[in-house]
Amino acid sequence: MNNLVSINNLVKYFDLGRGQRVHAVDNVTLDIGEQEIVGLVGESGSGKSTLGKTLLGLHDKPAGTVSFKGDQLPGKYRAADFQKYAPHMQMIFQDPYSSLNPRMTVGEIVGEGLRLHSDQSTAQVRDSVAEWLTRVGLEPDHMSRYPHEFSGGQRQRIGIARALILQPEFVVCDEPISALDVSVQAQVINLLDELKHSLGLTLLFIAHDLSMVRYVSDRMAVMYLGSIVEVGRADEVFFTPRHPYTKILVGSNPEPDPNLERQRASTTIEGEIPSPVNIPAGCRFANRCPKVMDQCRTQTPELLPLTEVAGETAPRHVACHLYAG
Ligand code: SF4
């Protein structure tokens, strides 16, 4: 499989002034293959959304690189860069309520990308919008209505049509179902799954729900305090997590089957997540890790491949001293 997106030692921080910085993304390296779905999980504040936005040029890149189809993307986007890359790389946002301009009709929202990035006539844009509204399960005559006239699930379908009308190759799905009722989450996931296969999309799927990520993703990457601590095939990471943080994250994931939930030992993470302004030396998880060793407090573990994992079908990478050497 060829890589569509290659992330190398990517860093994103936000200056707070007086020499202080929020280290939102720190030294992240990750490849995403063509037509692959990589799920990205971690607690709130772990840097998942910032990573997704940085990939798309919505944040500048103070250090590290992102390549798309072998083409290194600019560290800081100018208008011409958005014009060049936006048709190929799009985002589906978390909140279908705030991400749609309430003053624009659905037709204007969904067709905006074509008006900005194509030479289609007004009639052609209108036809494309009608086609995409149908494709995401809405009606062509919805294009004259406004976002407030739709339910949350319908608004997310509008957001999906807006992102996909340009037929991008790569889409960042930033918690696309977390603001929706449970009853419509599966509908939106099934729609994304169908569109992924029919359009040959490559997705970075950001979510809290590990069961959902396991269901939709080929591989799963686990983020903690701005860094990736484990990555591997989604089902293998879910069923045989290696990093102590992944084990706790999997253990604390709600089990939809009440019988299994009752049998399962509940797992909670002790302690507070450190401040991203004052990243601790050594392993970032050391103050919460049940397996912490002396070296963990001084030496930063690298994300390295596990060499001997029987039966695994893709290399597993883990950043933990328990597996070093
Ligand atoms: Fe725990 Fe040490 Fe591994 Fe960090 S490096 S996860 S503190 S065992």
Side-chain angles (χ1 to χ4, degrees):
M1 184 192 301
N2 294 324
N3 291 330
L4 188 76
V5 176
S6 293
I7 307 164
N8 276 299
N9 302 115
L10 186 66
V11 170
K12 174 61 195 169
Y13 53 75
F14 298 97
D15 272 320
L16 297 178
R18 298 182 184 173
Q20 291 202 310
R21 290 172 171 171
V22 173
H23 298 267
V25 174
D26 212 359
N27 214 24
V28 164
T29 294
L30 180 69
D31 290 328
I32 305 175
E34 286 177 357
Q35 299 189 23
E36 187 181 36
I37 302 183
V38 174
L40 187 61
V41 298
E43 292 169 278
S44 295
S46 59
K48 307 183 299 295
S49 294
T50 303
L51 175 60
K53 288 177 179 167
T54 307
L55 296 185
L56 301 187
L58 300 175
H59 295 310
D60 62 356
K61 311 169 188 65
T65 61
V66 178
S67 299
F68 176 71
K69 295 205 285 191
D71 189 5
Q72 187 176 320
L73 304 178
K76 186 177 176 67
Y77 270 35
R78 293 165 302 171
D81 299 312
F82 284 110
Q83 192 71 19
K84 180 177 178 182
Y85 293 110
H88 305 284
M89 307 173 80
Q90 281 286 316
M91 189 156 191
I92 296 169
F93 291 92
Q94 176 178 4
D95 187 349
Y97 295 90
S98 63
S99 64
L100 305 179
N101 187 332
R103 293 184 196 81
M104 291 170 72
T105 65
V106 169
E108 289 168 339
I109 290 168
V110 175
E112 188 175 27
L114 285 178
R115 282 190 293 277
L116 291 172
H117 300 292
S118 80
D119 53 10
Q120 288 193 12
S121 67
T122 303
Q124 287 171 322
V125 170
R126 189 178 172 81
D127 288 347
S128 296
V129 170
E131 179 194 332
W132 270 95
L133 289 178
T134 306
R135 202 156 179 177
V136 299
L138 298 171
E139 302 291 333
D141 63 10
H142 285 158
M143 71 173 79
S144 58
R145 299 197 197 167
Y146 288 86
H148 73 267
E149 298 177 64
F150 295 88
S151 67
Q154 287 174 317
R155 289 187 205 203
Q156 196 53 294
R157 289 171 189 268
I158 295 166
I160 292 170
R162 172 178 62 180
L164 299 188
I165 196 168
L166 288 164
Q167 307 209 22
E169 290 125 294
F170 177 60
V171 180
V172 174
C173 302
D174 186 8
E175 309 229 21
I177 57 168
S178 62
L180 303 178
D181 290 343
V182 173
S183 58
V184 295
Q185 287 183 352
Q187 295 171 18
V188 172
I189 287 297
N190 289 338
L191 172 64
L192 281 171
D193 194 48
E194 187 271 310
L195 292 170
K196 187 264 174 189
H197 286 100
S198 61
L199 300 172
L201 292 171
T202 301
L203 303 180
L204 181 67
F205 190 91
I206 299 170
H208 277 95
D209 184 340
L210 270 73
S211 315
M212 187 64 76
V213 170
R214 178 181 75 82
Y215 174 71
V216 302
S217 306
D218 301 303
R219 284 190 301 138
M220 187 189 299
V222 182
M223 254 183 121
Y224 183 78
L225 201 58
S227 292
I228 290 180
V229 297
E230 180 159 4
V231 61
R233 256 194 58 154
D235 51 354
E236 291 169 352
V237 171
F238 187 81
F239 287 114
T240 57
R242 305 285 168 175
H243 192 282
Y245 175 63
T246 316
K247 289 182 182 181
I248 294 172
L249 206 58
V250 170
S252 60
N253 196 55
E255 169 54 62
D257 181 332
N259 293 324
L260 291 177
E261 176 66 16
R262 272 194 291 276
Q263 294 167 17
R264 203 178 57 136
S266 70
T267 316
T268 54
I269 308 180
E270 302 289 332
E272 293 290 315
I273 188 167
S275 164
V277 178
N278 297 306
I279 299 285
C283 175
R284 292 158 191 238
F285 191 55
N287 72 319
R288 308 170 86 188
C289 179
K291 303 279 187 186
V292 64
M293 305 172 285
D294 286 346
Q295 69 183 114
C296 304
R297 302 199 186 276
T298 54
Q299 297 171 24
T300 304
E302 287 181 56
L303 188 66
L304 296 172
L306 297 185
T307 48
E308 294 174 21
V309 183
E312 292 212 346
T313 51
R316 181 90 66 101
H317 289 70
V318 180
C320 175
H321 292 309
L322 290 172
Y323 302 95

